[in-house]
Structure formats: C-alpha cells, structure tokens
Amino acid sequence: MAHDHDDQGHDHGQEPPGEMELRVKALESLLVEKGLVDPAALDAIVDHFEHRVGPRNGARVVARAWTDVAYKSRLMADATSAIAELGYSGGQGDHMVVVENDPGVHNLVVCTLCSCYPWPVLGLPPVWYKSAPYRSRAVIDPRGVIAEFGTRLPDEIEVRVWDSTAEIRYLVLPERPAGTEGLTEDALAALVTRDGMIGTARL
Ligand code: FE
C-alpha cells in the first residue's frame, strides 16, 4: 500500500493539478458567459461518460466473464488484453488487473494518492472517489465505508483493498448473483453496477 506522496513514480496522467482545474473552470465560465457553451450540455456530456458509456463497458466485461469460462481465465491472467478483446482499451487503462469477489472475499478499489481509475471500463471517476475522505477511509476502515454505501459485510468476509496507481488500474469482478442461470449476457450486464465494480457495493 506504499504510495509515495510526492509525484515521483506516480505519473498522474489524468489528474489535473489545482492550477489546471482553475484554468479549466475559468475557461468554462468564459465560454458560458460568451454564450459559446451551454452548461447543461457540458453536464450532459460528463453524465454520459460518468454513468452510461463507461460503466456499461465494465459491465459487459463482467457478464462475459460470468458466461464464458475461457474468457474469464484470460481476464484473470491478463486483464488488459482480455478487456481489449471486447474493444475497450486506451488511456487510463493500459495495465488493468481484475480482482475477483468470492463468498469469502470482497475487494475494494481506491486511489489513495489522487483519482487513478480505469477509464476504458468505468468511464470518469465519481466525485466521491476523488474525495479525500474516501481515499483515506477506504484504507483505514473499508468495512465502514462500504456500510455507508449501503452494504454491511459479514465479519467472515475478508476485505481486500487495492490501491490504484498510474501504472495499475483495478476492476472488481463481482460474484454472479444467484438465480441468474437463465439470463442472457446482456441481461446479466444490466445487473452489474459501477459501484459493484469499484467494490463499494456487493452484487
Ligand atoms: Fe491516482
């Protein structure tokens, strides 16, 4: 869990420094003020990547792993390649690792340093993922954090916390819910939530 807090060895890539964020804000305000950009349109674009496109990709990866044993083996052995097989690759997902939940283990993903996140499969990170309280408390009290998200994990379940970096991005493979034997891959994918793939929820 060593995650050096100076920037060496942690090339943030997508992580905007404070000054950059301010510049973006200033630019956005100016564009809106001049009537060149509709703030609602901007929100819609962010929402699109945050809630629709992104997590749906990860959900397809999960559903394929649930239904295709050979695919799951490839996914666990080399997640980057297996995910690319489905057409999802690129920035912020260059070295993917999939961690699997089972009846005795629950996995939770965090980036303690900033907001490293697997964009090709989950889209943009939610605001809480980037927040200081989540980043610190996910490590100190993962069960407490997961409980706040609405899931009380039994004591028998071991919780493993994975600290993302610019080099490695994690995706949780949730357990396939019971009673879903007859479902198609698409129907299974629809059951997979973003938080289930971060680990703040358990399917
Ligand atoms: Fe980070």
Side-chain angles (χ1 to χ4, degrees), residues 3 10 12 14-15 111-117 164-166 169:
H3 203 120
H10 190 95
H12 298 214
Q14 91 285 11
E15 189 58 22
C111 174
T112 55
L113 189 66
C114 46
S115 58
C116 296
Y117 193 71
S164 304
T165 66
R169 307 297 167 96

Side-chain angles (χ1 to χ4, degrees), residues 100-132:
E100 185 183 8
N101 287 351
D102 66 36
V105 173
H106 182 84
N107 295 284
L108 178 68
V109 178
V110 64
C111 174
T112 55
L113 189 66
C114 46
S115 58
C116 296
Y117 193 71
W119 288 29
V121 279
L122 292 185
L124 301 178
V127 170
W128 54 258
Y129 184 86
K130 301 186 273 188
S131 73

Side-chain angles (χ1 to χ4, degrees), residues 4 44 50 79 149-150 200:
D4 205 344
E50 206 168 74
F149 275 86
T200 46

Side-chain angles (χ1 to χ4, degrees), residues 64-112:
R64 177 66 57 86
W66 283 345
T67 52
D68 180 339
V69 178
Y71 181 78
K72 186 185 162 189
S73 310
R74 295 199 295 283
L75 184 67
M76 300 314 292
D78 179 355
T80 313
S81 306
I83 289 168
E85 279 180 40
L86 300 191
Y88 314 131
S89 59
Q92 320 300 336
D94 295 334
H95 188 170
M96 291 292 310
V97 171
V98 169
V99 288
E100 185 183 8
N101 287 351
D102 66 36
V105 173
H106 182 84
N107 295 284
L108 178 68
V109 178
V110 64
C111 174
T112 55

